Every structure is written in C-alpha cells, then in structure tokens.
Amino acid sequence: MMMKKKMKKAAALTAAAVLAMSLAACGGSDDSKGSANDAGDSANDGADANTPADDGAGTDAADGAADEGAGSADFSGKKLTIGAWGGNDQESAALNKMIEEFEKSSGAEIELKVYTDYNTQIQADFVAGTAPDAFYIDGSMFPFYSNIGMMEPLDKDEMDGGAFYENLLSAFTAEDGTIYCIPKDVSTLATYYNTDILEKVGVKPEDIPEALEDYKTFLTDLQSKLDAEYGEGQVAAMTYNQDMSRNLYILEADGDSIIAEDGKAQLSQPGIVKNLEFMTDLAQSGCWQTPKDLGLGWNGEAFGAGKAAIMEEGNWVYTTLKNDYDVNFGVKEMPTYKGTQYSMAFTVGWGIFANSSEKDLAKAWIKYATGVDGMEIWCSGAGCLPSRADVAEKMDVESDPVWKVHSDMTKIATPWQKGTTIDIINSNYQNFGPAAFKGESTAEEAMKKVDEQANSEIANAQ
C-alpha cells in the first residue's frame, strides 16, 4: 500500500514537471526610498510618494526575532535548509538580511538553496527525498503541491493565521480546510495613468470611468484625441495583457468557472464567451491594445515610453517607472465589472517538507519570515506588499499613494490560482485567444479550440 502511494506521488510529480510555469514576481524595489512623479488622483496632489522601504526598515528585527519564530527555543547546532527561486539584487539582499537576523536570534544555521528552474527542480528533490526543510510555493501552483502529500500541514493558530488577509491565506488552504503554506507577500493590479498625456488632450484623471462597461466610450474618445495630438497610432489609449492571470475575474464574472470539477477546460460556456466578447469588442475598437501591437515588450515599457496613456499593471512596475523612465503618473483602483470591483493578487507562501527532520525549526523560520519583523525586512527590501494588515500599518504603506492603492486592492483581489490544470488551459488560451481579440475568429470558436486542445493535453498528462 505504501509503495502504491509513493508511486502515485512520483507519477504526479513527473506529469507536472512538463508544465512550464512562470512564477509570479512580487516586484522589486531598486532603492529604499523614492518619489512618484504624480502620486495618485486629485486628492493626493502634491503628496510625497515614498516606497514602503522606509529608512532603517528592519532595524528592530533582531530584537523581535526572538519573539517571532525562534521564540525562547534554542536551536543552536541545528541546521535548516530553505528553498527559493532566484530574484533581483534587492530581493536577495532582503532574504539574506532575514537569514542573518534569524540565525542571530535562534542560534540555528540557515542554508539557502536557490533554484533556477524552480518547479522542475524542487519536484525532483521531492521524489529523491532531498527537498529543503522550508520552501517557496507560488500560489498558482499550490493546488498541485497540496495534492501530492509532500507538504506538512500547519496549524492556523500556531502560525498566527488570523493576522493574514483571508483571501491570501485561503490561497494556501486545501479543499479539506488544511493550511499548508503561509503567504509571505502579495502583489496586486491597479490602474496607472500618464498625467502629462491626459492633460495634453484635455482629459482629467477623474474622467477615467469607475466601471469597465464605460471604458469603450471613454477610450474611443480618448484615442481620437490622442491621434489628433500625437498622430494616428502613435499613442494608445490603453494597453492590456491577454494572459488569463490578468482577466480571470472578467471571464468568470457571471459565476461560471473556466475549469470543471474534473480539471477539464470549459471556456466555451455561454457566460464565459459573453464576457470574452466584451474584451474582444474593446480590442477591436482600436483603443485597447497589447504592448506587442505597439512593438514593445510589456505594459511597463509602453507606458514608461509614453506610448500608452493608461494601463493596468502590478505594483512591480512602480520602481521601473521611477528608475528607468521620466514619466509623470498617477494610480487609481481597478474598475468595477458588472457591479463588482476586482483586482488580481499574486502571492507566494512558505511551506514545510513533510519529510523534514527539522519541522520545529522550519515552523520557527516561517513564523519569523511571515511575522511582523521578518515580513517588514522582506517587503521593504524586495518591494512587495505585506500579506498581513499589521505589517502594512507598521510599514506605513498608506503614506505612499501608489502603494496605498495596491494595498487597498489586496482586500478584494482574486488570487491567481485555479486548480492543477490551469497552466495547460492558460497556455492554450494564449494560443487561440488572440484570434478572437483580432477579429479573426469569434470568441466562441476560439474558446472551443481552447477547450478541445487543452482537454486533449490534460488527458494525455494523466
């Protein structure tokens, strides 16, 4: 019986290893303090937009680490291995700072294992029994990892689960209610606008509609003004991203799920197709374009270069706009759709290897890393948003109008996560969806192709 269980786990790991997952970035802050050129809408005019990496962040962490995580326990002589994927210099520095403070207070030695192809490599370590004691789990991959028996169940009260935003903790909670990971950070989507471009054509930030249903009329008018001012096709009214991780909330707005209970794709349902048609209509109107349509790589580049007046993007773009571009901008909340305000949340959690011989130490590490002091060091240095309100308050994120908007979005955001087959389905959505956006096929035809191809791949992977 035990042999069959192990073989089932190994088979699941092998099947999932073929998936090419792109891990959601938390964003990176290249400096510890900075100003947004325009820090929000009219209520925030003239405000100093400081990033949450306040000077001296984490200076009290060494004192607090003894109470958070390591507690009164002495882990001297113990060694803990933690697994993470590679990040930018700021993320690496923040993680190293956390490790230094935890080692100082706990007496333990931390060994960091950095993966270059995270999901493939850590799955191989699971099979071999050599996985780190504690490790990152991307929210989008949690449904898979929670099903293969490789993570240690965590007690909500012991891990201070009540302090975290409920939607983020739920992203790491299995269907049976078991918590396997604690969210270490979050990034959300918000609406960015170029104040200089809007002013040039006589449009005010408050003219941007609150409801997505009103965008077509507004953007069509804005596009005509931009074409008259800058030349036809020179500046897009708005850029968007066709990845499902950006518009899942629109597709499912009527309550239909894109994935059936058996994991099969079902995007050709009438409700989902109707919502997709709303987006394809915007795209075909010429006022809603992808960065690729403009010959550029991503929203941040198009917006920073002055080629787009409005974009929806994650908080990771903030530092890029400040450091790499000379652009005046403001940020406002995401619009409503069908009466409900949405955003997407991208979160990563810390989990524990079920076969770890240092589970108590691993729990102590996670309690510290996701506690007030550890999370402040991480989020301040790496440029992420805290996954708990008390840390957001301690970091005073509301003093920065840009970070405040993204932080406010956390409470209502939908975590990017949808079962164990989402990567296959999203890949096919990106393959066949563009034809519908370009008007080369109907939305229904495109989604039928997504369902057919995705379900064929899902069947072959089982």
Side-chain angles (χ1 to χ4, degrees):
M1 189 71 171
M2 182 62 69
M3 180 61 70
K4 288 183 178 179
K5 188 174 182 181
K6 288 182 177 179
M7 290 176 66
K8 184 177 180 180
K9 291 177 183 176
L13 288 167
T14 302
V18 303
L19 302 181
M21 289 296 300
S22 57
L23 302 173
C26 72
S29 177
D30 293 326
D31 56 1
S32 62
K33 207 168 187 180
S35 299
N37 296 312
D38 182 290
D41 47 30
S42 57
N44 297 316
D45 285 346
D48 179 27
N50 298 317
T51 69
D54 295 329
D55 289 340
T59 54
D60 297 327
D63 296 331
D67 296 321
E68 281 187 6
S72 58
D74 183 5
F75 292 103
S76 297
K78 296 285 188 177
K79 182 176 181 179
L80 187 78
T81 302
I82 61 175
W85 50 75
N88 58 33
D89 291 343
Q90 289 69 41
E91 292 168 347
S92 296
L95 183 54
N96 288 333
K97 177 66 173 177
M98 291 166 61
I99 290 172
E100 177 186 342
E101 299 295 355
F102 183 79
E103 288 181 330
K104 189 185 303 181
S105 65
S106 69
E109 177 187 352
I110 302 293
E111 178 182 327
L112 173 61
K113 184 173 185 178
V114 178
Y115 293 90
T116 56
D117 185 2
Y118 194 81
N119 285 299
T120 299
Q121 292 174 322
I122 200 167
Q123 288 168 32
D125 279 352
F126 282 147
V127 173
T130 57
D133 299 295
F135 44 79
Y136 285 175
I137 290 293
D138 185 86
S140 65
M141 286 295 290
F142 174 77
F144 165 71
Y145 286 114
S146 66
N147 284 333
I148 62 174
M150 292 294 178
M151 291 194 295
E152 179 74 7
L154 301 175
D155 181 84
K156 181 177 180 178
D157 293 334
E158 180 184 3
M159 306 307 289
D160 200 18
F164 296 85
Y165 294 111
E166 183 58 34
N167 55 338
L168 302 184
L169 189 64
S170 295
F172 298 105
T173 304
E175 292 182 2
D176 64 1
T178 303
I179 296 172
Y180 287 102
C181 295
I182 305 299
K184 70 182 184 69
D185 56 37
V186 64
S187 293
T188 62
L189 298 180
T191 305
Y192 284 68
Y193 54 87
N194 186 308
T195 54
D196 290 341
I197 289 178
L198 294 185
E199 183 178 356
K200 189 83 170 178
V201 296
V203 175
K204 299 177 181 178
E206 52 265 34
D207 294 335
I208 301 174
E210 299 298 321
L212 194 58
E213 290 90 336
D214 297 327
Y215 266 46
K216 183 178 179 181
T217 298
F218 167 75
L219 291 177
T220 301
D221 179 65
L222 175 59
Q223 189 64 63
S224 65
K225 292 177 178 177
L226 294 172
D227 288 346
E229 179 67 33
Y230 296 98
E232 186 172 352
Q234 294 303 304
V235 178
M238 184 172 182
T239 56
Y240 73 103
N241 192 312
Q242 289 180 3
D243 191 280
M244 191 179 288
S245 66
R246 301 302 186 94
N247 48 53
L248 177 66
Y249 65 91
I250 297 178
L251 295 173
E252 296 188 332
D254 292 315
D256 295 322
S257 174
I258 62 169
I259 301 179
E261 290 186 4
D262 62 0
K264 297 293 183 63
Q266 51 179 19
L267 278 81
S268 56
Q269 294 181 90
I272 293 174
V273 168
K274 185 177 180 180
N275 288 326
L276 179 61
E277 287 174 342
F278 172 81
M279 291 189 286
T280 59
D281 185 44
L282 267 177
Q284 291 169 32
S285 69
C287 60
W288 211 49
Q289 302 181 54
T290 67
K292 186 177 180 180
D293 294 333
L294 303 173
L296 298 170
W298 68 295
N299 285 333
E301 182 182 9
F303 186 85
K307 302 296 290 184
I310 302 171
M311 69 171 176
E312 290 178 355
E313 195 52 79
N315 44 269
W316 49 78
V317 76
Y318 187 15
T319 298
T320 297
L321 294 179
K322 291 189 303 173
N323 292 350
D324 299 344
Y325 297 98
D326 181 17
V327 55
N328 296 313
F329 63 92
V331 181
K332 63 181 295 180
E333 295 181 344
M334 292 283 280
T336 63
Y337 181 61
K338 296 190 173 181
T340 301
Q341 187 176 41
Y342 296 93
S343 180
M344 293 297 295
F346 307 91
T347 185
V348 175
W350 280 105
I352 297 175
F353 184 31
N355 295 331
S356 169
S357 60
E358 296 292 350
K359 291 180 182 178
D360 287 341
L361 179 54
K363 289 178 182 178
W365 162 256
I366 293 177
K367 288 169 68 176
Y368 168 67
T370 63
V372 174
D373 294 311
M375 187 178 292
E376 183 183 12
I377 292 175
W378 169 251
C379 290
S380 296
C384 307
L385 287 167
S387 54
R388 43 192 292 170
D390 52 355
V391 180
E393 182 177 357
K394 185 178 181 183
M395 292 172 60
D396 193 22
V397 297
E398 293 201 357
S399 66
D400 178 338
V402 175
W403 280 100
K404 181 184 185 303
V405 171
H406 281 287
S407 184
D408 287 345
M409 291 289 91
T410 301
K411 306 175 186 66
I412 55 92
T414 299
W416 170 231
Q417 179 187 99
K418 197 71 179 178
T420 60
T421 57
I422 186 62
D423 187 57
I424 292 175
I425 295 172
N426 187 25
S427 176
N428 283 284
Y429 177 76
Q430 293 182 54
N431 287 339
F432 296 106
F437 281 92
K438 295 176 182 178
E440 297 171 355
S441 75
T442 67
E444 183 178 14
E445 290 169 344
M447 293 305 98
K448 284 182 177 179
K449 290 181 179 179
V450 172
D451 287 350
E452 180 180 359
Q453 182 60 34
N455 290 338
S456 174
E457 294 178 21
I458 292 169
N460 289 334
Q462 292 176 343

